[in-house]
Amino acid sequence: MRVTYYKISESEEETPSVREGHGAGYFDRKPSKQARLEALQPIDIATIQQESASTHSVVPRKFDNFKSSLLKKARGGVEYSDYAANLLMYVAGWSYSDLLAFEDMLRRAFIRGVNCMQIETKNDPMFICATAQVIRSSDGEVAIVSFRGTELTNIVNWLTDATTSTIEAFPKGIKVHAGFLRNFEAIWPEILKALMWQSDKDKEEGNCGKGGELKALYIAGHSLGGAMTMLAAMSMYFAKEGERSTTGTHAYLWSKLRGVYTYGQPMVLDPSYDVDAPIDEISPYIFRHVYQKDIVPHLPPKSTGDFVHIGSEFFGEKIDEEKLEYSSWEKKGENSEQAASILIAGPIAALAFFLGLIPHASWFAERCKWSFADHSPWGYLYVGGKIGQ
C-alpha cells in the first residue's frame, strides 16, 4: 500500500508539503524547487485568470469557492447538482494522471485550500490495482473521494474488468461483480482512515485534513472507478445498518454523504437479489452519467451473466461538431441495458472509434450503436453547460 499526502494552499507562492507512506511507516519531505520545476512549469496566476474557459481547454471550467458551492448544494440533502456533476467529473478525469499533474490541474481549476491524499494498492497475481484520491477542504468540512478507472496500458485493470463472476458481498442475497469488489475492498479501509479522525494520534498518522467536522461527502469515479464508487455507497449503507460493522464509522459517513456521481460506469449488481433488499434506499444517492454511445455502461455483456444499473441516469452529448458545443446533463427515464455479447458490441464500438478518426467518415461512426471513443473522459468533461446552473 502506498499513500502520498500533499497540501494545495490558497497561495501560489507556497511549495506544497508532501508526505509519503508505505503501510504504517510515514516520513515527511518537501520537494525541492528545482525538482518541481523539472516536473512541471510553475503556474502564472495572471495567465490562468485570463485563460478562456472553453471546450478547447484542458480546464474547461473554473471552480472558484468550490467548498462553499458544494456546501450550499448539500444543505438541501441528497439531490442532484449540476455544479457537483461538473466538478466531480473534472476530479475523476484528472485522477488518471500522475500526482504532480493532478495537483497542477486542481490549482488551474482554482480548487485550492485543500489537503489531499493519493492511495495506491497493487497485487498483480490477484488482479488488484486500485488508486483513489481523497480531497478535503482545509477546514475539514467538505470531502471528495475519487476512484481512478481502468488505465489503458494496465493489463491488471483489464483483467479486473474481465472477472465477471459474482460474489454475494452484502445481505439480502445481493451479489456484485467479483473483480470490482476485490479492488474496492483492497483500498477502502485506507480511504476510511483518510476520512475519519477521532483523536490527535489519528491526525499524526496521516488522516486527510484537520479541524472542523465533516459536513458533506461526495464520491466519484469514471469507468472502473465508477464501479468502485457504487460499491462504496453499498458498503456504507449496509455497515450503517450494523450488518457488516459496528464501529459507527460507516454510519457517520453515510449521514454526510451528499451524492455518488459516476461517469461511464459499468454494471456492478446482479439482479437476483431478494425482493426485500433495500436497493430503493441506496438508489437516491446514485447519479450515473452516460456520454453519447459509450459502450461501457452496457457492460458486462449478457453473455457473461445478468447485471443491472441502479440510481438515476443522466445523458449528455455533443450538439454541434463544428463549434464543439455540448449539451447539459439530462435525466433519462430508463437505465442503460446490457449488450448481448462482447463479440458483437466490441467490434461495433471499435469500428465507431476508428471511423471517427477518419476525415469525412464521422457519418458512419454516428450510425454505430456503441463507441469506445465516447468512453474517454474528454466527452464527459465537456458536457454540462455553464457552471453555477
Side-chain angles (χ1 to χ4, degrees), residues 192-208:
L192 289 178
K193 252 174 63 176
L195 292 172
M196 296 297 295
W197 52 77
Q198 298 170 348
S199 67
D200 289 338
K201 181 181 178 182
D202 288 336
K203 297 176 189 177
E204 292 169 4
E205 290 181 353
N207 289 317
C208 189

Side-chain angles (χ1 to χ4, degrees), residues 175-177 180 227 230-231 265-270 307-308:
K175 300 177 183 178
V176 298
H177 187 291
F180 300 156
M230 276 282 304
L231 290 168
Q265 174 215 314
M267 299 180 188
V268 176
L269 184 65
D270 184 317
F307 289 89
V308 293

Side-chain angles (χ1 to χ4, degrees), residues 11-180:
S11 169
E12 286 295 325
E13 300 302 320
E14 238 181 277
T15 301
S17 177
V18 177
R19 300 183 68 196
E20 287 190 342
H22 296 269
Y26 297 101
F27 61 91
D28 287 324
R29 72 174 176 86
K30 177 172 282 192
S32 68
K33 184 176 180 180
Q34 183 59 34
R36 284 186 53 78
L37 288 174
E38 290 174 357
L40 64 119
Q41 293 299 313
I43 301 167
D44 183 345
I45 189 66
T47 301
I48 293 175
Q49 288 172 336
Q50 294 170 5
E51 184 179 37
S52 173
S54 71
T55 54
H56 296 81
S57 170
V58 295
V59 189
R61 300 179 183 89
K62 303 300 191 298
F63 300 97
D64 310 66
N65 305 313
F66 87 97
K67 191 204 85 169
S68 59
S69 297
L70 286 182
L71 282 177
K72 182 179 178 181
K73 300 293 183 182
R75 291 194 190 108
V78 180
E79 58 182 35
Y80 184 77
S81 162
D82 289 326
Y83 181 92
N86 294 328
L87 168 64
L88 295 172
M89 180 55 227
Y90 183 83
V91 173
W94 283 105
S95 68
Y96 286 97
S97 60
D98 63 77
L99 192 59
L100 283 175
F102 182 76
E103 172 200 333
D104 176 32
M105 299 315 294
L106 291 187
R107 286 174 176 270
R108 290 173 65 178
F110 290 83
I111 302 172
R112 300 181 187 143
V114 294
N115 297 306
C116 302
M117 173 190 291
Q118 179 170 290
I119 305 166
E120 305 165 81
T121 186
K122 188 175 182 181
N123 187 325
D124 290 351
M126 298 182 72
F127 301 165
I128 291 173
C129 181
T131 302
Q133 300 275 359
V134 182
I135 303 170
R136 191 153 186 176
S137 58
S138 55
D139 60 7
E141 293 185 349
V142 174
I144 297 170
V145 177
S146 177
F147 290 93
R148 181 181 293 178
T150 300
E151 300 176 60
L152 290 178
T153 57
N154 191 320
I155 187 62
V156 176
N157 278 166
W158 289 99
L159 291 171
T160 293
D161 297 341
T163 308
T164 57
S165 57
T166 57
I167 297 177
E168 187 169 335
F170 303 102
K172 306 296 183 182
I174 295 179
K175 300 177 183 178
V176 298
H177 187 291
F180 300 156

Side-chain angles (χ1 to χ4, degrees), residues 89 263-264 289-291 294 329 374 376-383:
M89 180 55 227
Y263 308 85
H289 299 78
V290 178
Y291 177 65
D294 184 356
W329 290 113
D374 289 342
S376 166
W378 282 118
Y380 286 91
L381 186 62
Y382 291 153
V383 172

